[in-house]
Amino acid sequence: MSDDPVPLASLSLTHVHYDPSDPVSYLCAFLALVPQGLCVVYATLIWSTREIEIALLFAGQLACEAINFALKRLIKEERPRRMNGKGYGMPSSHAQFVAYFAVSITLFLLLRHQPPNPRVRKRNHTPMSLVERAAWSAIGLGMAAAVAWSRVYLNYHTERQVLVGCAAGTVSAVGWFIITTILRRSGWLAWALDTPIAKFFRIRDLVVEEDLCQAGWEKWDDKMTALKAKKKHK
């Protein structure tokens, strides 16, 4: 048996090269982990809320990744000469991932999400106004732009590779939004939600009209209010 040590490999999924003497480079290294973090968020929300809209969003995200995989092997453009990454560089998968996510969230908040009129105030909840939803959309798009820019700063991609990635992610988001809109308007989504398997897993479609955090808070606040009233009458 040989005494030579076995060469170790690096898990490139979370391995990021950066300049330790540059604070901006250090920040960009964390931005490079945003897609992995979003996958954790997807899985957590799908399991905890059972919302079909979130599951559809994630399905589109996976399709977007498959498109990126195919494009890289079709175009076969190398990364920058001072390369900090493996495989082909065109288009940037990070840029395409975050562009799809940010544009999808924007389309949902501004076009699909239909909360009650902000003037209809409940005791414990005021729905988000269009201005607030636009502000959250702008924050999402800004974060996506920061992640995309970090790929150039860390020398993983050229500017053109990042721009093409952003364009591919945007087109994927718009295309998937159109497809899911057709599924909703044609009744196919409602049919799927009425199947035994959907009912078994408690799949629902409330987030289009309901703020999930606020809905849970309303139920809790109503419960506590009723409990206090009960104690007061004792």
Side-chain angles (χ1 to χ4, degrees), residues 2-25:
S2 175
D3 292 331
D4 294 336
V6 177
L8 300 178
S10 170
L11 181 62
S12 59
L13 184 66
T14 56
H15 189 86
V16 184
H17 289 93
Y18 70 97
D19 181 358
S21 64
D22 182 1
V24 177
S25 181

Side-chain angles (χ1 to χ4, degrees), residues 56-57 59-60 63 100 112 171-181:
L56 287 173
L57 182 65
Y100 167 86
R112 180 166 292 166
V171 171
S172 298
V174 173
W176 188 243
F177 184 81
I178 292 172
I179 291 172
T180 54
T181 298

Side-chain angles (χ1 to χ4, degrees), residues 60 63-65 67-68 96 100 103-104 166-179:
C64 183
E65 284 296 287
I67 291 172
N68 180 268
Q96 186 168 333
Y100 167 86
V103 173
S104 293
C166 289
T170 299
V171 171
S172 298
V174 173
W176 188 243
F177 184 81
I178 292 172
I179 291 172

Side-chain angles (χ1 to χ4, degrees), residues 138-225:
I139 291 172
L141 293 169
M143 287 298 297
V147 173
W149 168 78
S150 73
R151 304 306 288 170
V152 177
Y153 194 89
L154 292 174
N155 294 304
Y156 277 89
H157 293 283
T158 64
E159 292 181 1
R160 191 164 69 101
Q161 291 170 351
V162 165
L163 289 174
V164 172
C166 289
T170 299
V171 171
S172 298
V174 173
W176 188 243
F177 184 81
I178 292 172
I179 291 172
T180 54
T181 298
I182 293 172
L183 288 175
R184 286 182 173 281
R185 293 183 178 179
S186 64
W188 281 105
L189 186 62
W191 171 84
L193 291 172
D194 198 39
T195 58
I197 189 170
K199 292 179 180 180
F200 177 80
F201 286 106
R202 305 292 190 267
I203 308 300
R204 64 204 70 174
D205 189 26
L206 296 174
V207 74
V208 172
E209 299 176 352
E210 186 177 86
D211 184 326
L212 294 178
C213 293
Q214 286 291 350
W217 163 251
E218 287 177 32
K219 293 174 183 177
W220 169 253
D221 192 44
D222 289 341
K223 180 179 179 179
M224 294 305 296
T225 300

Side-chain angles (χ1 to χ4, degrees), residues 55-122:
L56 287 173
L57 182 65
F58 187 48
Q61 189 81 72
L62 294 178
C64 183
E65 284 296 287
I67 291 172
N68 180 268
F69 182 87
L71 286 175
K72 281 189 173 182
R73 281 147 188 80
L74 179 65
I75 301 173
K76 296 182 179 180
E77 182 173 298
E78 298 296 331
R79 292 177 183 267
R81 184 168 298 179
R82 187 186 169 189
M83 182 182 66
N84 283 333
K86 299 178 181 178
Y88 298 118
M90 173 66 86
S92 165
S93 58
H94 276 71
Q96 186 168 333
F97 188 106
V98 294
Y100 167 86
F101 178 81
V103 173
S104 293
I105 291 297
T106 299
L107 291 172
F108 171 76
L109 288 175
L110 300 183
L111 299 180
R112 180 166 292 166
H113 186 50
Q114 300 294 330
N117 193 306
R119 295 177 182 176
V120 182
R121 293 173 177 267
K122 292 186 178 181

